[in-house]
Amino acid sequence: MLPRQRDLRGPLGAPGPSPGSRNDPRRRGWACAGLGLLLFALAPRVAPAHVTEPSTAEPSNAEPSNAEPSNAEPSTAEPPSTPHNEAEAPATTEGIPVLDEATVGGPTLEDGLLPCGLRVIIAQDATLPVAAVVLAIDTGTEDDPPSQPGLVHALAYHLLQGNRELTPAGAAALVHDRGGITSLAVGPAQVRYESLIPLSALSEVLWAESQRLRAPTVSAELWSSTLRWARRDPSLKWRAPAEAMAAAHGMPGLAHDGRQVPAALGQMVPRAIGQALAERFQYSAATLVVVSPHPPPRLRDAITEMFDTLPPATRHARDRMPRWRTGSVPQTLPLAKESGTRFVWPVAPHPAGLDQATVFCKAINRQRRRPGEPSRARLRCDLDEDPRRATMTLRASGVDDPLALLTMRIERLEQGEDESLVERQRQIVLRDRQQQLRSALPLARRLSAAGPRDRTEPGWRTRPVAALTGLAVLSVPWTSRTFGPHLRPGAAIHLVPSQGKPKAKPKDHPEVQP
């Protein structure tokens, strides 16, 4: 049963019930606190990248995390099966096998596109009587205007101020009062509103998400409060410098701090704020992910009905594929305080690409030193995980020629010399992913990072869960496979020390005329 509108409406500043009374919402929250803590304890400790958990009064500070996410699970205990006939799989592209979904077994989900342009993914997880709901919008801090850095981050917070159907912080209060948890994740190219709730509150939370992006309330007073929340978020910490991330992905917007709150944001008038919200936060650029014990077809009609009143729109989610470089040598990027030992790669913006980079990193970090290499030669790999803008950084040390060491180690992986090492790491990553995705919220997060649909017309499709989470590709043995050209030295950005200002040449002494 859908909630009545008056359950969530309330004039701004209206007096609430007296503390401790029967109608006090905090009393209901205390009664459900035990269930909320139980849900939080059972959920895996994999927080979305850059998470904030708003309270019923005002959101708390963001807690950045490099684990992802900002990053689906088979809905039963059965691991996804590999293709029935691996010989029929197409040749690899960029090192990632392209699998026919018809040959992938395991649980299935519903992948639909509504007439309003919203993509909906419904999966089943019957392990607990809880549901996970994630609304992921295809925008991020890299889309900030050059004159207004931090705009998208602030706008994401402002959506918590509600609209004519939701009071400020009303969506968060709804989740908390039902004994659930909610969070906001803001990344370079994706914004996610996440909820983990008891199953009995699913219809109410879905209704709230169907209202979140509709005509948000905008006023100077609310915007001032929003900026106060945004200032509490610390800057994101990445292993790769921001300039290197921007160069690797070919996206200049990654080079700035997306969490700053400059004076220009405080000078925005309500009309400009409303226009910015309408341009960047639309259902036609969003994906709604629902994971619950209900069979996916059971929720299709109810979700479709909630969004029927929105006008038809064309899906316009952006392509976040990196601008892959080609060539035999990395592109150099001069930066201050660099030693010339670091190399940065972009990672494909989908779960299979992140899994491939994870296997690559684990294999590189475990390669043995060859006879003849310096005893101190080391090559270390780190990942900055993000659903759309992940990067991989390799640092060479103990050698005079870092590029030569890097090239030799990657050639060993590409030529199959360390194939058994790679296969062991693939199996480890597969087990870790399967264990990680045994809960509703991690599954919903990973599904929100799935690649774009191959069909643009509205309608529903039944697809394997493993195909959208990347587990189908990760389940393929690493026999005669390579990592592809996008993880070779020519696709990297080489961070080198910047040249200092040239010293001024001494002025020539004037010649003495006789």
Side-chain angles (χ1 to χ4, degrees):
M1 179 178 177
L2 298 181
R4 295 171 295 176
Q5 295 182 357
R6 64 173 181 269
D7 290 340
L8 299 177
R9 294 188 64 179
L12 183 61
S18 60
S21 66
R22 294 178 60 185
N23 296 325
D24 185 2
R26 289 174 295 181
R27 184 173 181 178
R28 297 196 305 269
W30 299 333
C32 299
L35 176 59
L37 293 175
L38 175 61
L39 298 178
F40 186 77
L42 293 176
R45 293 297 187 263
V46 183
H50 332 312
V51 171
T52 67
E53 291 195 3
S55 67
T56 57
E58 64 179 45
S60 61
N61 296 342
E63 298 179 2
S65 170
N66 290 322
E68 176 62 31
S70 299
N71 286 262
E73 137 195 36
S75 57
T76 67
E78 301 175 8
S81 62
T82 58
H84 299 163
N85 188 353
E86 297 174 9
E88 295 178 359
T92 60
T93 59
E94 305 161 8
I96 300 176
V98 179
L99 303 179
D100 182 5
E101 292 187 6
T103 65
V104 179
T108 59
L109 52 74
E110 294 293 314
D111 185 358
L113 184 63
L114 303 185
C116 64
L118 174 70
R119 183 183 184 184
V120 181
I121 299 176
I122 309 173
Q124 184 178 17
D125 176 68
T127 55
L128 289 172
V130 299
V133 179
V134 174
L135 181 67
I137 299 97
D138 184 39
T139 189
T141 56
E142 70 176 38
D143 300 324
D144 289 335
S147 60
Q148 295 176 312
L151 176 62
V152 171
H153 177 240
L155 294 176
Y157 264 107
H158 194 76
L159 285 178
L160 300 176
Q161 300 283 16
N163 55 18
R164 63 184 181 182
E165 300 294 344
L166 294 169
T167 59
L174 169 66
V175 174
H176 293 162
D177 290 347
R178 271 59 173 182
I181 57 175
T182 182
S183 60
L184 165 63
V186 181
Q190 188 184 78
V191 174
R192 297 195 313 276
Y193 297 89
E194 307 176 342
S195 301
L196 180 66
I197 51 175
L199 186 58
S200 59
L202 177 58
S203 63
E204 296 176 285
V205 173
L206 287 176
W207 181 85
E209 295 300 345
S210 72
Q211 300 296 321
R212 189 185 292 274
L213 306 187
R214 303 193 196 200
T217 304
V218 178
S219 69
E221 180 184 0
L222 290 178
W223 182 243
S224 177
S225 176
T226 293
L227 296 183
R228 184 169 64 251
W229 297 343
R231 290 189 184 98
R232 298 179 181 180
D233 274 353
S235 298
L236 303 181
K237 303 298 182 182
W238 305 94
R239 293 180 175 89
E243 298 87 350
M245 295 175 61
H249 285 275
M251 180 54 63
L254 291 171
H256 75 284
D257 179 9
R259 297 209 171 189
Q260 58 185 302
V261 184
L265 294 185
Q267 299 170 0
M268 294 182 65
V269 298
R271 182 176 179 181
I273 298 169
Q275 182 178 357
L277 283 167
E279 291 175 351
R280 291 167 175 81
F281 290 86
Q282 305 174 6
Y283 283 111
S284 57
T287 299
L288 178 67
V289 182
V290 182
V291 180
S292 76
H294 295 306
R298 180 178 173 183
L299 298 177
R300 286 173 38 174
D301 294 340
I303 293 176
T304 301
E305 182 180 357
M306 292 179 185
F307 293 90
D308 269 349
T309 57
L310 290 171
T314 303
R315 177 80 177 168
H316 66 270
R318 293 179 54 182
D319 181 11
R320 302 288 181 172
M321 270 293 179
R323 300 177 183 177
W324 303 106
R325 294 190 67 257
T326 58
S328 57
V329 295
Q331 173 186 342
T332 58
L333 177 64
L335 292 177
K337 300 181 180 180
E338 282 296 331
S339 59
T341 62
R342 290 200 292 177
F343 302 82
V344 180
W345 280 260
V347 177
H350 47 70
L354 184 61
D355 290 341
Q356 181 200 36
T358 303
V359 174
F360 181 95
C361 259
K362 286 181 172 292
I364 282 284
N365 289 337
R366 289 161 176 77
Q367 280 184 311
R368 295 183 179 275
R369 183 172 54 86
R370 268 183 175 176
E373 290 183 9
S375 59
R376 295 187 177 181
R378 297 289 186 276
L379 189 63
R380 296 296 302 173
C381 180
D382 293 300
L383 276 177
D384 283 319
E385 296 189 15
D386 185 84
R388 295 288 183 254
R389 293 305 189 191
T391 54
M392 181 177 66
T393 303
L394 266 67
R395 181 192 294 271
S397 61
V399 292
D400 296 330
D401 190 348
L403 179 58
L405 176 65
L406 173 75
T407 303
M408 181 183 62
R409 292 289 181 89
I410 293 180
E411 285 180 351
R412 289 168 55 181
L413 297 179
E414 288 292 316
Q415 295 173 1
E417 180 178 338
D418 293 328
E419 191 173 83
S420 59
L421 169 64
V422 176
E423 174 61 17
R424 286 198 302 272
Q425 303 314 310
R426 181 196 68 82
Q427 295 174 2
I428 293 173
V429 174
L430 176 61
R431 289 196 298 268
D432 290 346
R433 290 285 188 257
Q434 291 173 342
Q435 182 64 31
Q436 172 191 352
L437 303 178
R438 288 180 181 271
S439 300
L441 187 54
L443 172 56
R445 288 173 182 160
R446 195 160 177 90
L447 287 175
S448 69
R453 285 172 53 95
D454 56 354
R455 300 180 184 179
T456 58
E457 68 277 4
W460 292 88
R461 297 172 55 197
T462 300
R463 306 179 62 184
V465 173
L468 274 70
T469 60
L471 292 181
V473 172
L474 193 57
S475 298
V476 177
W478 207 277
T479 304
S480 302
R481 285 174 59 185
T482 64
F483 285 101
H486 295 167
L487 293 181
R488 293 175 186 165
I493 303 294
H494 185 192
L495 309 185
V496 298
S498 58
Q499 298 292 336
K501 293 184 178 180
K503 296 181 179 180
K505 294 183 179 180
K507 296 182 179 179
D508 295 332
H509 295 285
E511 295 182 2
V512 178
Q513 297 294 333

